[in-house]
Amino acid sequence: NAGVMQNPRHLVRRRGQEARLRCSPMKGHSHVYWYRQLPEEGLKFMVYLQKENIIDESGMPKERFSAEFPKEGPSILRIQQVVRGDSAAYFCASSPRTGTNTGELFFGEGSRLTVL
Amino acid sequence: TQLLEQSPQFLSIQEGENLTVYCNSSSVFSSLQWYRQEPGEGPVLLVTVVTGGEVKKLKRLTFQFGDARKDSSLHITAAQPGDTGLYLCAGTLLSSNDYKLSFGAGTTVTVRA
């Protein structure tokens, strides 16, 4: 059952280091979304990508955060010079096409980033 | 402020009891989804509702979408310990791109054996 695969599941970084989170969508899915979840808050949209294209990054902080979904390989969410406030669970979701009315989002198990 | 307000935030009940979780907004949604999330896991989709007034049943779970498509409820009959989890509602605004899901903060449900 090849669901959405995220790694690492847990990542610890010191302030100022870089964090790289990877996401392989479900087979046949070409749309990838990244969400961030803080304790006792809902998931917040960060970015929506298709292969080699960033469609919408309006939810992603302008500085230190970047995302890509190359032609080959997983989608990567990169956080440079991490700060304690970046500590959160980062979820990747995929869908076969745009829209959620019939094309549901399938979420991975998340990557939990802790910044010391 | 959350676009989708869920209530209650926490709910603890005894096995066999019924419970209802609410999801409210002042905005109109083109569709609304309910997810369940267990600790250390990602959200798992339970249902999608798209039509105002729609009622969907999934075994002991009943989902309702308000007539005006601004609110929804999840009712669980005869709750079991396996129903324990974080229940999240999420929706796509009528005025938004249809890929952007807005999530409520969730209701943590605990069913005691």
Side-chain angles (χ1 to χ4, degrees), chain B:
Chain B
T1 56
Q2 295 276 146
L3 193 60
L4 284 164
E5 296 287 342
Q6 286 190 241
S7 62
Q9 187 177 358
F10 299 96
L11 190 56
S12 180
I13 61 170
Q14 200 70 33
E15 181 177 4
E17 293 181 337
N18 301 333
L19 68 97
T20 303
V21 175
Y22 299 94
C23 177
N24 294 294
S25 178
S26 57
S27 300
V28 179
F29 289 85
S30 57
S31 69
L32 202 140
Q33 300 177 347
W34 284 92
Y35 290 81
R36 190 175 91 181
Q37 184 180 17
E38 298 190 22
E41 305 291 330
V44 176
L45 179 69
L46 297 175
V47 77
T48 299
V49 286
V50 298
T51 306
E54 183 176 1
V55 177
K56 278 193 176 178
K57 291 194 174 184
L58 186 66
K59 295 183 180 177
R60 293 175 295 101
L61 278 61
T62 301
F63 305 86
Q64 187 162 9
F65 200 12
D67 291 340
R69 292 190 294 173
K70 292 183 179 181
D71 56 85
S72 181
S73 64
L74 157 61
H75 182 79
I76 302 179
T77 304
Q80 299 176 1
D83 295 325
T84 293
L86 175 67
Y87 289 83
L88 298 161
C89 67
T92 48
L93 285 172
L94 194 61
S95 57
S96 173
N97 297 306
D98 62 0
Y99 55 78
K100 231 177 218 181
L101 271 183
S102 298
F103 279 83
T107 295
T108 300
V109 171
T110 303
V111 182
R112 304 184 304 275

Side-chain angles (χ1 to χ4, degrees), chain A residues 33-99:
Chain A
Y33 314 78
W34 284 93
Y35 283 78
R36 178 163 67 176
Q37 186 176 38
L38 293 168
E40 298 186 7
E41 290 188 24
L43 285 86
K44 304 291 186 188
F45 169 81
M46 297 182 73
V47 62
Y48 162 44
L49 310 104
Q50 294 179 21
K51 283 285 187 182
E52 300 184 279
N53 285 306
I54 296 175
I55 307 302
D56 183 347
E57 57 183 347
S58 59
M60 202 156 65
K62 294 286 187 287
E63 297 180 353
R64 303 187 298 107
F65 285 71
S66 63
E68 62 176 11
F69 189 15
K71 187 176 179 181
E72 301 290 338
S75 174
I76 295 175
L77 179 66
R78 181 182 178 204
I79 310 172
Q80 295 177 289
Q81 299 171 6
V82 296
V83 300
R84 288 210 175 117
D86 296 332
S87 296
Y90 292 84
F91 288 94
C92 172
S94 72
S95 73
R97 58 185 177 277
T98 307

